[in-house]
Amino acid sequence: MKKIVVGIDGSEASKNALRWAVDEARLRDAQVVALHAWETPIASPDATPAQSLDVVTAVTESHEAASQLVTEIVEEVVGDDPNQTVTPLAVEGAAAATLLDAARDAGLLVVGSRGLGDFGALLLGSVSQECAQHAPCPVLIHRSGERVRK
Ligand SMILES: Nc1ncnc2c1ncn2[C@@H]1O[C@H](COP(=O)(O)OP(=O)(O)OP(=O)(O)O)[C@@H](O)[C@H]1O
Ligand SMILES: [Mg+2]
């Protein structure tokens, strides 16, 4: 297998999904791409030039924050294991669409069943649901068991 794409949103569920993907990659001799999708802050149509400039700054900062988040999570989960390459990637775009696009040339897409969302009773979040429905490759929904069905 060539590439395993894992969705990272900063949640424990996505870290557990990454742990699973790294173990799987070892067995299959695959490369792991840990992908965090982030969205651009939107300028109001009647923003002043100064306010619009603020949005440019915000985009730069958002990209840096997104890169930092996914890099730190990869370091936390993989440590400095020289036998496993995990590429952290921050991509601007809606989460599900970005993951589905990245999965087009992947052998496996891995997401947590839930993420940062707070709606306790859901079994699947909107991103994992969309990935399950539209993935262009096999998809693994990783359930960590941290949420119990009531
Ligand atoms: N911005 C993102 N970038 C990359 N992967 C993501 C992103 N958001 C979610 N995911 C992936 O999808 C999994 C499920 O998250 P999802 O957002 O579907 O659930 P939720 O946050 O609990 O619910 P919702 O966002 O629908 O309120 C996460 O564990 C992660 O693997
Ligand atoms: Mg979410």
Side-chain angles (χ1 to χ4, degrees):
M1 180 187 293
K2 35 202 173 173
K3 178 171 97 168
I4 298 178
V5 174
V6 190
I8 302 295
D9 65 352
S11 64
E12 281 305 312
S14 70
K15 289 183 197 172
N16 290 334
L18 178 58
R19 280 186 196 99
W20 187 92
V22 168
D23 287 346
E24 189 68 13
R26 248 182 228 119
L27 297 174
R28 296 175 180 238
D29 198 22
Q31 301 293 308
V32 176
V33 174
L35 192 159
H36 175 55
W38 61 278
E39 294 199 63
T40 315
I42 297 167
S44 152
D46 45 4
T48 65
Q51 286 167 334
S52 298
L53 261 183
D54 279 350
V55 171
V56 174
T57 310
V59 169
T60 310
E61 288 176 356
S62 298
H63 185 80
E64 281 167 9
S67 297
Q68 195 177 339
L69 177 128
V70 67
T71 301
E72 284 176 4
I73 286 177
V74 167
E75 278 169 12
E76 179 187 330
V77 169
V78 185
D80 49 9
D81 181 352
N83 297 316
Q84 190 57 55
T85 316
V86 179
T87 307
L89 200 60
V91 178
E92 185 180 355
T98 304
L99 288 168
L100 291 169
D101 190 47
R104 279 190 303 173
D105 63 345
L108 181 64
L109 171 63
V110 180
V111 288
S113 54
R114 292 294 312 274
L116 293 172
D118 210 17
F119 194 70
L122 277 185
L123 294 176
L124 283 183
S126 55
V127 176
S128 43
Q129 184 158 5
E130 208 170 320
C131 288
Q133 285 172 333
H134 299 289
C137 64
V139 56
L140 188 289
I141 309 284
H142 188 268
R143 187 176 297 286
S144 315
E146 72 272 23
R147 286 174 201 251
V148 181
R149 189 176 180 181
K150 300 244 166 74

